[in-house]
Amino acid sequence: MRKLTLLLLAASLGQITVHAQENPAAAAINEAGFTKHISKLASDAFEGRKPFTRGEDSAIQYIAAQFKALGLKPGNGNSYFQDVPMVNIFSKPAGNLVIKGKNDSITLQYLDDYVAATRRVQDQVKLQNSDLVFAGYGIVAPEYHWNDYAGLDVKGKTVVVLINDPGFADSTLFKGHIMTYYGRWTYKFEEASRQGAAGVIIIHETAAASYPWKVVRSGWSNSKLHLQTADNNMSRTIMEGWISQESAKKMFALAGISPDIMEQARKKGFKPVDLHLKTSLVINNTIKKSTSHNVLAILPGSKRPQECVVYSAHWDHFGIGETVKGDSIYNGAVDNASGTAGLLELATAFAQVKPVPERSVLFLAVTGEEQGLLGSEYYASHPVFPMNKTVADINLDVLNFFGKTKNITVIGLGQSELDEYAQRAAAKQGRVITPEDHPEGGWFFRSDHFNFAKKGVPGLYIGPGTDAIGQAPGWAKEQIATYNRERYHSPKDEFDPATWKLDGMVQDIRLLFDVGLTLSNESTFPKWKTTSEFKSLRK
């Protein structure tokens, strides 16, 4: 072997020295492979890859066939599939949402002004004359000395809450502009249920949510999936929903309260306010219990096969939904045919690694991410490899479609020692790692590695770099912003080989290949950082 080049690079986490070159198997990760997989997975023939549909059958059979062709072993005994029992609920409110005051009322139009659904597995649910209470952020966080429910009995009532957490408005609170899990909409619904509320309504705000109202609208205009539970979700609130910012202002005006109350709720010491308003809503449900599927394959380790490194990506998207400019197929090319293609490219590369890695490598394509990280939640509770033998999860979701960059974004930078693995791999490519631009969006909690983190397993989740080679400063950020604004969760998220530049995608996945290959040949386990809220879970 020729003498390796010494690279000295000042990376974002410090000065590092690299004495390595790319493993020859990385060459198997290439543009031709990405084009093949994305063009197939994101085609109209796959009908948007929604669970319980023909699109699911097409997607999972395609992925399993690729794993089998590579010679990888089935990941679940003799099968490439893991059954994930789910219930599909199509909730349709019976009319508008009317909020009544003492002398007047306001009427909110479904989809334009509000959305609502239920997790309860019942043909019909009714919210009847429920009192509305504004409960700030709807957060109970003892470690931050914050309790929006202190002294409040919400049984039978509907709580109205803000999206995100107090750090979004005041950097001295919580983790500042880095969103905690308390800021996620999933937490708001969970906490309201724990408090015994009958309903919960989140006030939408584009900046705080990190997406516009049309994303809420499209996501809630179709059926929603949930994992099956023994109590048929009767422990959850009757109704979960959102209202637009303008609708919230009308609601507060009806209550005789200034909309400035939303600003007051962002400050420590805020007390919940009874709005002296009532609302009722009937929700009719079409219910189907069925089974979706994770797809998984294993490259057995040569020395420590009982330990594994996981690569994950979600294969699902929204299927066929609300028509936008004549198109009703939500193809999900970037989100997440790109990540699934990356998973298959990684599997192709690992199948060519010589010698075989010492630890096993699990390739996990999960279902139901768009419905609340359901497939990864199920796997984390029913793992093939015990969580204490799972080294790390490297997650692929929404890859770079616009070309090579000088940096790579690590979402949740500072959570674990996987940062250093990514840093070293980036340096081999002459690149640096940087944190995400908008941590207030809570991106670390919005993809499948999060369910591993909740079990104590560190996760590495990357985003596209923001410093594009050969482009003006800010150009890459504008590509990302345009995608989020115009194509994210819409029928416009389609594969266009004429405009996509896949060399950046190849570059990023080769970096993740390097990280996983390193982990698969070590005997130690990466640790959480001392400031991580997940540190105690690993123990």
Side-chain angles (χ1 to χ4, degrees):
M1 184 181 292
R2 64 181 176 82
K3 186 176 181 181
L4 301 179
T5 303
L6 176 66
L7 298 177
L8 295 174
L9 256 154
S12 62
L13 294 183
Q15 199 84 10
I16 60 175
T17 303
V18 178
H19 298 272
Q21 66 179 13
E22 195 171 67
N23 186 288
I29 301 168
N30 54 56
E31 293 183 40
F34 271 108
T35 299
K36 169 190 170 184
H37 297 312
I38 297 174
S39 60
K40 191 78 172 178
L41 291 163
S43 68
D44 282 357
F46 278 46
E47 296 182 345
R49 305 185 309 279
K50 185 172 182 176
F52 294 2
T53 68
R54 291 185 303 178
E56 165 166 3
D57 295 336
S58 298
I60 66 173
Q61 293 297 335
Y62 178 81
I63 296 165
Q66 302 305 307
F67 286 154
K68 185 176 182 180
L70 291 170
L72 298 175
K73 292 187 176 297
N76 189 24
N78 295 321
S79 177
Y80 288 101
F81 305 112
Q82 180 184 46
D83 290 350
V84 182
M86 293 185 184
V87 57
N88 184 52
I89 305 177
F90 179 58
S91 292
K92 185 68 179 293
N96 299 321
L97 181 67
V98 179
I99 299 176
K100 296 180 179 180
K102 186 175 181 180
N103 300 312
D104 204 353
S105 66
I106 60 171
T107 299
L108 306 183
Q109 304 291 322
Y110 179 55
L111 297 183
D112 292 333
D113 305 316
Y114 88 98
V115 294
T118 185
R119 292 174 188 259
R120 295 191 176 189
V121 186
Q122 293 180 297
D123 292 336
Q124 186 183 79
V125 297
K126 294 181 180 180
L127 189 71
Q128 295 180 311
N129 290 320
S130 181
D131 293 320
L132 295 180
V133 179
F134 179 54
Y137 282 101
I139 289 173
V140 179
E143 68 273 36
Y144 295 113
H145 308 290
W146 194 283
N147 187 351
D148 285 315
Y149 288 98
L152 181 63
D153 182 2
V154 295
K155 290 180 175 59
K157 300 177 181 179
T158 294
V159 292
V160 181
V161 298
L162 301 171
I163 191 61
N164 215 306
D165 66 40
F168 179 76
D170 183 345
S171 62
T172 66
L173 299 173
F174 284 57
K175 286 189 174 182
H177 291 302
I178 301 175
M179 185 198 283
T180 66
Y181 184 57
Y182 295 114
R184 287 287 287 145
W185 58 269
T186 50
Y187 168 81
K188 313 287 184 179
F189 293 158
E190 291 164 0
E191 189 58 48
S193 295
R194 284 191 287 268
Q195 296 291 331
V200 53
I201 298 173
I202 297 174
I203 298 172
H204 175 265
E205 182 185 354
T206 297
S210 78
Y211 42 79
W213 177 258
K214 68 178 181 180
V215 173
V216 177
R217 176 188 175 118
S218 66
W220 285 67
S221 62
N222 210 333
S223 61
K224 301 183 81 63
L225 292 170
H226 311 283
L227 293 180
Q228 292 185 30
T229 64
D231 73 342
N232 283 324
N233 288 328
M234 295 301 292
S235 60
R236 300 299 295 251
T237 58
I238 296 171
M239 182 268 283
E240 298 175 348
W242 294 67
I243 59 174
S244 67
Q245 183 80 190
E246 286 305 310
S247 298
K249 291 177 181 178
K250 292 177 183 178
M251 177 189 66
F252 288 125
L254 179 65
I257 297 172
S258 168
D260 290 345
I261 193 172
M262 290 185 281
E263 291 302 317
Q264 297 170 25
R266 304 181 196 280
K267 300 175 182 178
K268 204 163 188 176
F270 175 79
K271 302 297 182 184
V273 176
D274 187 339
L275 299 178
H276 300 290
L277 304 174
K278 292 181 181 290
T279 193
S280 300
L281 190 67
V282 174
I283 300 176
N284 295 310
N285 300 314
T286 302
I287 298 168
K288 178 184 177 183
K289 287 186 176 181
S290 190
T291 300
S292 189
H293 304 84
N294 293 331
V295 191
L296 56 172
I298 297 172
L299 178 67
S302 59
K303 292 185 179 180
R304 291 181 299 284
Q306 74 280 11
E307 299 175 354
C308 84
V309 176
V310 180
Y311 283 102
S312 63
H314 73 91
W315 58 257
D316 68 302
H317 201 58
F318 287 105
I320 298 174
E322 186 178 19
T323 300
V324 179
K325 295 184 178 179
D327 190 356
S328 62
I329 297 178
Y330 289 65
N331 303 79
V334 176
D335 184 17
N336 188 35
S338 69
T340 307
L343 185 72
L344 295 174
E345 287 293 277
L346 285 161
T348 302
F350 269 96
Q352 299 181 25
V353 170
K354 301 298 179 186
V356 174
E358 296 180 6
R359 285 168 161 160
S360 297
V361 182
L362 174 66
F363 302 95
L364 177 62
V366 296
T367 182
E369 189 271 353
E370 300 290 8
Q371 306 292 330
L373 316 183
L374 302 182
S376 57
E377 179 183 350
Y378 188 85
Y379 176 84
S381 298
H382 304 82
V384 172
F385 292 86
M387 287 293 151
N388 64 354
K389 297 294 184 182
T390 301
V391 178
D393 175 52
I394 301 171
N395 188 51
L396 291 72
D397 191 1
V398 182
L399 302 185
N400 173 358
F401 56 88
F402 51 78
K404 287 188 174 182
T405 59
K406 298 176 185 177
N407 68 320
I408 184 76
T409 300
V410 173
I411 297 168
L413 187 67
Q415 284 281 5
S416 79
E417 291 178 347
L418 291 176
D419 295 346
E420 282 71 38
Y421 286 82
Q423 182 189 13
R424 289 189 290 269
K428 295 175 188 178
Q429 298 179 335
R431 306 166 76 195
V432 297
I433 67 171
T434 52
E436 72 257 49
D437 280 344
H438 300 287
E440 67 275 12
W443 301 100
F444 187 78
F445 312 108
R446 292 169 63 170
S447 197
D448 292 298
H449 63 284
F450 179 51
N451 281 316
F452 286 86
K454 289 198 290 186
K455 297 291 185 179
V457 177
L460 177 62
Y461 176 31
I462 66 164
T466 54
D467 187 2
I469 295 174
Q471 300 290 345
W475 180 87
K477 292 183 180 181
E478 180 54 36
Q479 304 309 302
I480 296 169
T482 299
Y483 169 78
N484 288 335
R485 183 174 61 249
E486 299 179 2
R487 292 159 56 195
Y488 176 65
H489 285 190
S490 83
K492 294 176 70 174
D493 186 2
E494 297 186 282
F495 178 52
D496 183 2
T499 58
W500 284 38
K501 291 189 64 178
L502 297 177
D503 55 348
M505 198 173 291
V506 169
Q507 183 186 42
D508 290 353
I509 298 306
R510 287 184 177 181
L511 183 152
L512 295 184
F513 170 74
D514 182 285
V515 172
L517 185 61
T518 300
L519 289 167
S520 69
N521 285 307
E522 292 183 336
S523 59
T524 57
F525 283 65
K527 298 180 179 63
W528 293 100
K529 299 291 180 69
T530 56
T531 55
S532 173
E533 58 266 49
F534 304 106
K535 182 183 178 182
S536 61
L537 298 177
R538 187 56 148 175
K539 296 178 181 179

